[in-house]
Amino acid sequence: MRALFVVLKPLCFLALLGYCPSATIRPKEGWQVYSSAQDADGRCICTVVAPEQNLCSRDAKSRQLRQLLEKIQNMSQSIEVLNLRTQRDFQYVMKMESQMKGLRSKFRQIESNRRTLLTKNFQELKGKMNELQPLIPVLEQYKTDATLISQFKEEIRNLSLVLTAIQEEIGAYDYEELQQRVLGLEGRLRNCMNKLTCGKLMKITGPITVKTSGTRFGAWMTDPQASPKNNKVWYMDSYTNNKIVREYKSVSDFVSGVESRTYNLPFHWAGTNHVVFNGSLYYNKYQSNIIVRYSFESGRVMTQRALEFAGFHNVYPYTWGGFSDIDLMADELGLWAIYATNQNAGNIVISQLDPLTIQVLNSWNTEYSKRNAGESFMICGTLYITNSHLTGAKVYYSYSTKTSTYEYMDIPIHNQYFHMSMLDYNARDRALYGWNNGHQVLFNVTLFHIIKTDDES
């Protein structure tokens, strides 16, 4: 098994594991991808598990290296695509840069002392190049440029052969040029990460404590639909008797307590399950089943609509109470409301909402009691429910709106401060925002993807 770590500036790196054809995953099976928004240092992680490509036989023809180098040079596009996806207030990580500096040093050694270069130097270089090989089939799945991707795949298959040729013909090639073209491969691989969006929840790690403030209950959030340069944070303390929303220009300002603006809402809110989506705040109006859409830009209510049959005012709250009957959330597929009705015997109902009109587009009835749920959140159209708001909580149940099926799960979530009154997924950050007993925290999520091959489509 081999591993390659590639830094995706500013926050992401790619970890790839390749298996030989004799392993459990056969070449015709789907590529399996695990991804996580961030690690403990704020880096976004993606792990791709794919079958190893067949290695080519030994061939010492030097002209094949030149052909390969000329072709690989055309693959250095879109090197900054991921910057638009993951620019946050975390520190940049440079793990791959140190690895590439080591590779650069090796190339310089080759340039300065070709004749006395030991065979093991080429073997190390060959191993590094081979580590890139299992990633290439992932590019094929997106078919945006089928011809180029096919050529790309074939070229990488020949890397082992070419490096063998280099070993036999020391001094015949421009190693600095080879280094630059290897860096070009990194840029293309970054595009893979940009394509990996939806998947099944596999793991929750953290939390990272961002700030300690406010009362025991509250909500804080960013807008998953905002541009990469817009990192505003909104803060809503308490679950009732409050209409003040505090805005911060960035997470750094939020931590420092530097407010940029405050909004005085026309109605008190109920609960802590609010969401900011595409510039508007969606919240449950106090003592009602009415959902309010408030525009931060205009400073006024744009829409308000009753959620038919939805229980409110502690009729069907989460286990901690606090008027948490109606939970508004957003994921990769849009805006959602989670609530319970008498018609569904107090069990959770999932409704997808039109963001402009707040009309219900579609609904799904689950068999999970709203009063037995600690918190819930949507990822890629699947609702995940925790069994408690206290210590020992875990994601216990999920319901897929795509297949209208449910599944029991056992994914622990570390309730560091013993009382969770808000838990919401942010699709832009690929992280869970939580309000944990007066602490504003972030959890990482690890998702599992299946990317089908041509044979499986």
Side-chain angles (χ1 to χ4, degrees), residues 114-251:
R114 296 177 182 175
R115 294 183 180 180
T116 61
L117 183 68
L118 298 178
T119 302
K120 66 177 184 179
N121 294 106
F122 282 105
Q123 295 295 341
E124 292 173 3
L125 177 59
K126 180 178 178 180
K128 289 182 179 296
M129 295 297 293
N130 282 339
E131 286 172 353
L132 292 173
Q133 185 173 344
L135 276 184
I136 306 311
V138 177
L139 293 172
E140 291 185 296
Q141 315 312 315
Y142 306 112
K143 301 178 181 177
T144 55
D145 192 340
T147 302
L148 181 58
I149 290 173
S150 177
Q151 294 171 354
F152 191 43
K153 175 180 176 181
E154 190 62 31
E155 290 156 7
I156 300 304
R157 283 178 174 174
N158 293 329
L159 283 178
S160 178
L161 178 150
V162 170
L163 289 172
T164 301
I166 293 175
Q167 186 171 355
E168 295 180 357
E169 302 180 22
I170 296 175
Y173 308 105
D174 185 343
Y175 294 98
E176 196 68 28
E177 179 186 4
L178 178 60
Q179 179 208 12
Q180 294 301 319
R181 292 175 183 181
V182 170
L183 289 173
L185 293 178
E186 178 188 349
R188 291 301 302 272
L189 296 178
R190 292 184 182 188
N191 284 330
C192 293
M193 183 60 188
N194 195 42
K195 301 292 185 180
L196 301 178
T197 54
C198 275
K200 178 181 178 181
L201 180 67
M202 300 299 294
K203 184 179 180 181
I204 299 174
T205 55
I208 299 169
T209 302
V210 177
K211 188 177 182 180
T212 301
S213 64
T215 64
R216 193 178 187 187
F217 318 97
W220 73 293
M221 65 213 80
T222 59
D223 187 347
Q225 293 289 302
S227 68
K229 295 182 179 180
N230 181 351
N231 297 311
K232 291 180 180 179
V233 175
W234 290 274
Y235 178 88
M236 301 169 70
D237 192 14
S238 185
Y239 63 83
T240 188
N241 295 325
N242 199 347
K243 298 192 296 180
I244 303 300
V245 180
R246 304 184 188 280
E247 180 182 282
Y248 304 83
K249 289 184 178 180
S250 67
V251 173

Side-chain angles (χ1 to χ4, degrees), residues 429-442:
D429 300 339
R430 298 183 190 174
L432 293 173
Y433 283 57
W435 190 292
N436 196 183
N437 207 2
H439 302 266
Q440 292 75 54
V441 299
L442 285 173

